[in-house]
Amino acid sequence: MSFRDRTHAGRELALRLTERAGSGDPFDLVVLALPPGGVPVAAEVARALHAPLDVLVAGEISTPVRPETTIGALVADDPPLYDRTSLAMMHLSEDRLGDIVVNERNALHQREYRYRGRRPLPSVEGRTVVLVDDGLTTGLTAAAALRFAHRHGPARLVLAVPVGNPRTVAALRAECDDLVCLVQPPRLHAVGEWYEDFGVVPDEQVTDTLEAFRTPA
């Protein structure tokens, strides 16, 4: 299975989730997207589950000499989550990444304000949280987001993605109560390989989508 675009992926993911969902109160359910790419996917999931939608912003920490290589992730003001194996292989210490972490955390807070303004993240305590992204490769941002959400006391924590690396999917099952992944290709090098259209999701699309969910029909 491949996907035309993120909206198509979200509809396919929503079908799987609705099959597994019970008849619980939608006000006890919240869908959180990892922006920007997770938002179009999560919007379809939230519509199908008749649930509110919001974003949980995560930032990536890259190496000083290879910015395309992600070795850590941040969410809110939580401590960074690092890929310890990669740190050791690259002979890097957390101290050497201090300036990068500060800059990424500042950028993360700017994105939070851009998407949400001064509106806080909705309470997840005692609720079922469905965390959605457009795919998993290393899984660092998803892991950081799951750990952040878990600390805030959800009744149930579900990670849902259209496509993911099998090893990453297996590792992340320990971070949540349930994990739904439609496709697990054995050689996943990039999430975009499984989408016909994997273009950049602009910030305006993110904010427009969130506003549509906040505005009564």
Side-chain angles (χ1 to χ4, degrees), residues 191-214:
V191 168
E193 295 173 354
W194 289 82
Y195 289 81
E196 295 174 21
D197 177 1
F198 197 68
V200 173
V201 177
D203 286 341
E204 293 79 7
Q205 182 177 345
V206 173
T207 55
D208 288 349
T209 301
L210 295 176
E211 184 61 30
F213 274 82
R214 289 196 295 270

Side-chain angles (χ1 to χ4, degrees), residues 51-67:
L53 172 68
D54 214 313
V55 289
L56 182 54
V57 183
E60 296 181 346
I61 302 169
S62 302
T63 68
V65 294
R66 296 178 63 185

Side-chain angles (χ1 to χ4, degrees), residues 71-120:
I71 56 170
L74 289 169
V75 174
D77 291 317
D78 278 8
L81 174 65
Y82 288 107
D83 179 343
R84 298 289 173 184
T85 302
S86 294
L87 283 179
M89 288 177 60
M90 297 181 183
H91 304 290
L92 287 171
S93 66
E94 293 185 32
D95 292 343
R96 286 188 60 190
L97 299 170
D99 289 343
I100 293 173
V101 171
V102 169
N103 290 337
E104 182 52 45
R105 200 182 298 277
N106 288 337
L108 182 153
H109 288 318
Q110 290 172 8
R111 291 197 299 275
E112 287 178 326
Y113 184 78
R114 190 178 310 133
Y115 298 149
R116 193 183 292 115
R118 299 191 182 279
R119 182 175 54 83

Side-chain angles (χ1 to χ4, degrees), residues 5 27 31 37 39 61 82 89 95 105 111 114-115 121 136 138 152 158 163 184:
D5 53 22
F27 291 102
V31 176
V39 172
I61 302 169
Y82 288 107
M89 288 177 60
D95 292 343
R105 200 182 298 277
R111 291 197 299 275
R114 190 178 310 133
Y115 298 149
L121 188 72
L136 297 171
T138 67
H152 289 78
V158 179
V163 58
Q184 298 182 48

Side-chain angles (χ1 to χ4, degrees), residues 147-210:
R147 292 184 185 188
F148 174 87
H150 187 266
R151 285 199 310 102
H152 289 78
R156 186 169 175 79
L157 186 54
V158 179
L159 177 62
V161 294
V163 58
N165 179 291
R167 292 179 63 184
T168 299
V169 169
L172 286 176
R173 290 192 186 279
E175 304 284 351
C176 52
D177 298 301
D178 194 10
L179 195 156
V180 177
C181 180
L182 301 182
V183 185
Q184 298 182 48
R187 294 179 180 84
L188 176 66
H189 302 293
V191 168
E193 295 173 354
W194 289 82
Y195 289 81
E196 295 174 21
D197 177 1
F198 197 68
V200 173
V201 177
D203 286 341
E204 293 79 7
Q205 182 177 345
V206 173
T207 55
D208 288 349
T209 301
L210 295 176

